[in-house]
Amino acid sequence: MVSEYEIKKQICDIGKRIYDRGMVAANDGNISVKISDNEFLCTPTGVSKGFMTPDYICKVDANGKVIQANAGFKPSSEIKMHMRVYKERPDVQSVVHAHPMYGTAFAIAGIPLTQPIMPEAVIALGCVPIAEYGTPSTEEIPDAVSKYLQHYDAVLLENHGALAYSDSLLSAYHKMESLEFYAQLLFLSRQLGGPKELSKAQVERLYEIRRQFGLKGKHPADVCPNVKAGLPSCHNCGGNCSCSSSAAADGDLVAEITRKVMEQLNK
Ligand code: 13P
């Protein structure tokens, strides 16, 4: 079991990485880690995330209320956004918010990252939607992000930045890094005359690989089989939908019954 102090050190390491990689400027960005159902460690507000030491890190409850913070430190102003992710995605153990240059440029231009241009981005992220603009620190951002939480592990925040979340701190950070790399490649290939996109069949093969790997999290590859069968999505299976065969079979049955009813009506 990793000690709380060790997790605080890991948060500082990731803070340094996002700062050193230019994914944040000045005091931007925030990071949190869930340590129990009602305890979360988070970065403090208004400090450079590249120069933190473990004593900077605050502890809050599931409502974002302070459990422990050293003198001079208050939890991130975006703690409500983090808490909404944990509330609506029980599988998530860590949330990373940053303003990576290319991802944020797409968020400002209002262009979601949807073009399938390289296998790694397709497998890791699928696509990255844009959550509608909200005023930082208010409930507007959590409300805007909420709509996408059950379908994606990373979102752009309109005119603001990016948010990634996963089952570990390192994995949440990696999603942020993948998002930025994808955005950068998309930007550059657009300068070179536009990307040559992967075909639908190529994308579907990559999705199949993702499913075979049993990768956790939410991803377009994991669209509930109910949807494929024309039924409402359950979207609650964490991507490893155990209802796959029965839902698909049910869908086939419904389609068959509908066809027969239509045949009778048309007679
Ligand atoms: P905090 O320093 O309060 O976490 O805010 C930084 C930020 O990036 C707000 O969007």
Side-chain angles (χ1 to χ4, degrees), residues 24-25 27-31 43-49 74-79 81-82 97-99 136-137 141 157 160:
V24 287
N27 295 340
D28 297 351
N30 28 72
I31 302 165
T43 50
T45 184
V47 307
S48 171
K49 305 333 179 271
K74 281 197 291 193
S76 167
S77 59
E78 298 289 12
I79 197 67
M81 171 174 74
H82 290 243
H97 165 54
H99 304 159
S137 85
I141 299 184
L157 307 175
H160 181 167

Side-chain angles (χ1 to χ4, degrees), residues 19-37:
Y19 183 77
D20 288 350
R21 289 187 65 109
M23 291 177 162
V24 287
N27 295 340
D28 297 351
N30 28 72
I31 302 165
S32 67
V33 172
K34 181 176 180 175
I35 53 172
S36 78
D37 281 350

Side-chain angles (χ1 to χ4, degrees), residues 120-194:
E120 288 76 7
V122 171
I123 291 178
L125 299 165
C127 41
V128 183
I130 304 181
E132 294 69 18
Y133 180 77
T135 308
S137 85
T138 69
E139 290 291 345
E140 289 171 18
I141 299 184
D143 288 348
V145 163
S146 170
K147 183 163 135 195
Y148 301 97
L149 289 176
Q150 301 310 319
H151 310 278
Y152 304 93
D153 284 348
V155 290
L156 296 178
L157 307 175
E158 191 173 27
N159 287 85
H160 181 167
L163 186 67
Y165 32 93
S166 192
D167 61 349
S168 73
L169 172 58
L170 191 60
S171 173
Y173 166 74
H174 279 158
K175 282 182 197 288
M176 183 62 76
E177 201 176 276
S178 299
L179 177 158
E180 177 59 355
F181 196 61
Y182 174 19
Q184 190 166 0
L185 287 171
L186 191 54
F187 177 85
L188 292 173
S189 56
R190 284 180 170 212
Q191 307 307 301
L192 296 169

Side-chain angles (χ1 to χ4, degrees), residues 44-59:
T45 184
V47 307
S48 171
K49 305 333 179 271
F51 300 92
M52 298 183 298
T53 48
D55 53 310
Y56 281 42
I57 307 301
C58 305
K59 196 198 274 191

